[in-house]
Every structure is written in C-alpha cells, then in structure tokens.
C-alpha cells in the first residue's frame, strides 16, 4: 500500500512509497481506511530533519498526525464499518508516569510518550492504519468534509480548558480575548473563544487573503499591526505565532488578572531585547499567568468533536484552503501564500 515516509535525521527524505507493509495487528484491532491527512508546521520540521523519530528498530517513519478515516473492520464491536474516526496522536509512556497512568498523556512527566507520525510511532499518511478503540475518536458523519480539523481543534480545546483552570484560581469574568496568528490553530482557538461568548480580536501579519474575512465571520475584530500598538488590554491571549517578538509583546499587553496561553513552537536562536525587570514587574503587579500548552488527551478530543459539531460548517470548510491528492504530496508540503490548512486526500 502507499505511504508517505521520511528517514529521521535525513533532510528532505519525504517520499511516497508503493510497497509499505499493511499496518501490523500490534497497532490495534480497528482497521481504518485513510480519508485525509492534514499538513502542519510540525510535519515541515520533521521533513527538515529538525524533529521526528522512527519506531524502535525501524529506519523510516510514516508521517501525518492529523487524521480522518473510515473504519473498515472492528472485531471489538466498538465501531461499525463506515464510521468516521480520527486517531489520537499521543500514546502514554510505558512506565507509566503518574499523568499517563490516569489518561493525561498530554501532561506526560518523563517524556517517554510516543506520537503517531512524530515520535517513535507510525502516522496516518498511509492508505490503511490500525488503532486501539480507545485511541479512535468517532466523528459525526456530517463532519466528513472537515473532520480532519479534529486534531488541531483538540489542541485548542486543551488550551481553553487550561485557561479556564487558571481563571478558576480567583473570581474571574473574562470578556476580551486576543488571538495572535490566524493560522489553523489561531482560527480554531478563536472559534472556541467565540463559542464561549467572548469579544474576539485576531491579529496576524496578513493584510489580505482569506484571514480577515474568516475573522469577520466569527464576529472578530481583525488587526494586522503590532500587538504593542493595540489600544485595549485583553483578559486572555492565545498566542499562536510562536514568534519571539509577539510572545514578549503579548505578555506585556495582557490586562490585570490576565492569562497568556502560549501554543506556538518556535525555533531556538532568535534573541529579542527584553527589559526583563519591567516585564516581571508587569506580570507580578497584575497577577498575570503565562503558560504553555501542547497536545491533547481523550477529554480534549471529545470536547473538540463537540465544538466542531456546533460550528458553522461552511466556515470550517473554508479553513481548508487546498486539498491535494496524495500523489501531489510535494506540492502539499510546500507552503504557499494564502494557505491556511492544506489537506492530503487518499
Ligand atoms: C501536535 C501535537 C504534538 C506536538 C509535539 C503538534 O504539531 O499537534 O499533538 O504533541 O506537535 O510533537
């Protein structure tokens, strides 16, 4: 069968192989036929050999962690053939650590977790994959066109759960949220903010293209300047650019009792001049919390499926700006102006 593989440690080794082995039974009893795989920045880092690890004893890694598939067979009876599912990315470490032991593998303490298509576990960019029923998330058939957005939505569902957990430290009535970066994570974070009834502001460097209109359809105010120049102080910031100057500016900009949630994975090496004393003073005197978040557990995947089900389906569909057949994979992984989410179709 066909699969998209890379050789970890070798730059630009991405290729489509025709003779990949069928998924082994050890991956789980549920056999799934791939429908689509989403492309994200992590995939590009893996292709650039900055990241990514093959399963133990293997040289290649099947990539793809944003999945959508149809169940072919499930001897456990959890699913019926034809059901639409997405596969959970992270699997608990084998020890397990206290967090993995209670299903919170997104908060793994020892780093020995595995991730499909990323770390020591094959991904979903192959014609068929297998999964344990507990790691397959069912999707409403109405989400067939947009269900591939479930994985990035799970990441922001976790972000919002943790923002609420931080807020619960004291009485808190947040009104305004600023989302920086209008890529898929930023726009999906904004969608969840919208579903929580917050006043939305979205900031991105793009002045044109599809982003301003997508923001407008969520009822958000769109900004394309500098965070430092905004004339309001948000109660919540969801930072989705990972750009160091933006990160520093949002910490400074957030209002009293504010929460800054960092979701962007940045490369090391960019130094920005910071008055650390002033920044620390602002955070302390305003009771601010700055925290990072990555990945998602089953609870967040379920919340994400619910959020997608409630969303405007046409708006979600417009986040997918390119859908490329798997043969055109090289094109799909090459970023283009105006891209939001690029999806590979199987
Ligand atoms: C994925 C997460 C994963 C992270 C780090 C992200 O692109 O969405 O599930 O934990 O990369 O590997």
């Amino acid at each position: 069968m066909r699969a998209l593989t890379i050789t970890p440690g070798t730059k630009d080794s991405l290729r489509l192989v025709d003779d990949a082995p069928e998924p082994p039974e050890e991956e789980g009893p549920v056999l799934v036929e791939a429908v689509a795989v989403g492309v994200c920045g992590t995939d590009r880092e893996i292709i650039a050999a900055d990241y990514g690890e093959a399963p133990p004893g293997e040289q290649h890694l099947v990539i793809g962690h944003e999945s959508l598939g149809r169940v072919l067979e499930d001897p456990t009876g959890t699913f019926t053939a034809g059901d639409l599912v997405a596969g959970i990315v992270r699997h608990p470490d084998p020890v397990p650590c206290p967090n993995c032991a209670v299903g919170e593998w997104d908060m793994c303490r020892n780093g020995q977790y595995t991730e499909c298509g990323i770390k020591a576990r094959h991904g979903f960019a192959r014609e068929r994959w297998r999964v344990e029923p507990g790691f397959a998330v069912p999707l409403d058939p109405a989400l067939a066109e947009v269900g591939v957005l479930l994985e990035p939505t799970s990441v922001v569902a976790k972000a919002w759960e943790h923002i609420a957990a931080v807020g619960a430290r004291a009485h808190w009535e947040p009104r305004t949220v600023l989302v920086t970066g209008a890529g898929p994570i930023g726009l999906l974070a904004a969608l969840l903010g919208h579903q929580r009834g917050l006043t939305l502001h979205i900031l991105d460097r793009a002045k044109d293209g599809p982003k301003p209109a997508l923001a407008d359809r969520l009822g958000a105010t769109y900004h394309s300047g500098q965070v430092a120049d905004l004339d309001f102080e948000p109660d919540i910031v969801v930072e989705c650019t990972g750009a160091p100057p933006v990160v520093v500016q949002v910490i400074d900009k957030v209002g009293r009792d504010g929460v800054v949630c960092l979701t962007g994975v940045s490369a090391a090496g960019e130094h920005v001049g910071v008055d650390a004393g002033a920044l620390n003073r602002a955070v302390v005197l305003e009771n601010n919390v700055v925290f990072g978040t990555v990945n998602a557990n089953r609870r967040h995947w379920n919340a994400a499926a619910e959020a997608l089900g409630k969303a405007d389906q046409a708006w979600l569909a417009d986040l997918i700006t390119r859908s490329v057949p798997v043969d055109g994979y090289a094109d799909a992984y090459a970023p283009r102006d105006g891209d939001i989410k690029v999806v590979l179709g199987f």
Side-chain angles (χ1 to χ4, degrees):
M1 68 172 185
R2 291 182 305 166
L4 274 177
T5 68
I6 59 112
T7 311
T10 305
K11 210 169 162 7
D12 297 328
S13 62
L14 180 67
R15 63 194 184 110
L16 182 63
V17 297
D18 288 325
D19 56 353
E22 287 295 324
E25 300 265 340
E26 306 92 81
E27 287 183 356
V30 187
L31 181 65
V32 180
E33 173 184 54
V35 172
V37 165
V39 171
C40 97
T42 301
D43 297 311
R44 295 200 184 97
E45 284 181 17
I46 293 172
I47 294 165
D50 293 336
Y51 206 52
E53 186 183 325
E58 297 190 38
Q59 283 190 322
H60 306 295
L61 172 75
V62 176
I63 64 162
H65 61 276
E66 300 183 2
S67 63
L68 180 69
R70 272 190 200 286
V71 172
L72 288 172
E73 58 184 46
D74 177 13
T76 73
T78 313
F79 297 103
T80 308
D83 282 356
L84 214 51
V85 291
I88 288 182
V89 175
R90 192 178 284 193
H91 288 241
D93 74 72
V95 177
C97 77
N99 288 59
C100 286
V102 296
E104 300 215 356
W105 51 74
D106 57 312
M107 303 292 286
C108 179
R109 295 294 303 272
N110 62 22
Q112 292 178 42
Y113 60 82
T114 55
E115 288 182 337
C116 294
I118 301 176
K119 185 175 183 282
R121 189 177 276 272
H122 287 310
F124 305 108
R126 45 181 164 158
E127 283 178 277
R128 284 170 292 283
W129 40 272
R130 282 184 175 276
V131 62
E132 295 287 342
F135 286 82
V137 184
L139 276 153
D140 191 296
L143 293 172
E145 295 302 313
V146 297
V148 71
L149 298 173
L150 189 62
E151 195 278 340
T153 310
S154 73
V155 168
V156 295
K158 171 182 173 180
W160 277 105
E161 185 196 82
H162 284 212
I163 289 166
V166 174
R169 69 192 159 143
H171 179 78
W172 196 47
E173 289 184 33
R175 294 204 174 89
T176 311
V177 56
L178 168 67
V179 175
T180 46
I185 291 287
L187 288 166
L188 290 167
L191 169 71
L192 269 60
H194 172 69
Q195 292 182 344
R196 282 159 179 74
L198 293 160
T199 301
L200 280 178
H201 292 265
I202 300 178
L203 181 141
D204 190 279
R205 61 185 169 191
K207 292 195 165 40
D208 42 36
K211 293 175 177 177
L214 284 162
D216 188 55
R217 285 158 70 189
L218 277 185
T221 307
Y222 188 86
H223 307 265
S224 57
Q226 295 284 315
V227 172
D229 297 335
L230 295 174
D231 62 358
F232 66 95
E233 292 189 341
D235 300 314
I236 299 167
V237 179
V238 188
E239 203 303 299
C240 306
T241 68
V246 180
V247 171
V248 172
Q249 287 180 44
V250 295
I251 297 172
D252 199 35
K253 180 56 84 175
V254 75
R256 289 183 183 275
D257 303 348
V259 181
V260 176
C261 171
L262 305 177
T263 72
V265 184
S266 38
E270 189 177 340
H271 296 259
V272 288
V274 182
D275 180 343
L279 200 64
N280 173 69
R281 184 185 165 89
V283 170
V284 171
L285 293 181
E286 297 194 351
N287 291 301
N288 295 155
V289 173
V290 180
F291 76 96
T293 181
V294 70
N295 197 256
N297 66 44
R298 177 89 206 197
R299 189 171 68 244
H300 309 124
W301 282 81
N302 293 344
E306 205 185 313
L308 288 186
K310 284 196 293 199
D312 172 356
Q313 299 301 300
W315 185 87
L316 289 175
D318 286 346
L319 296 190
I320 302 176
T321 43
R322 280 199 289 148
S323 206
V324 180
V326 68
D327 300 317
Y329 70 94
D331 198 28
Y333 286 91
R336 269 199 215 161
D337 278 353
D339 275 348
I340 297 179
K341 176 56 72 185
V342 178
V343 163
L344 279 169
F346 277 81

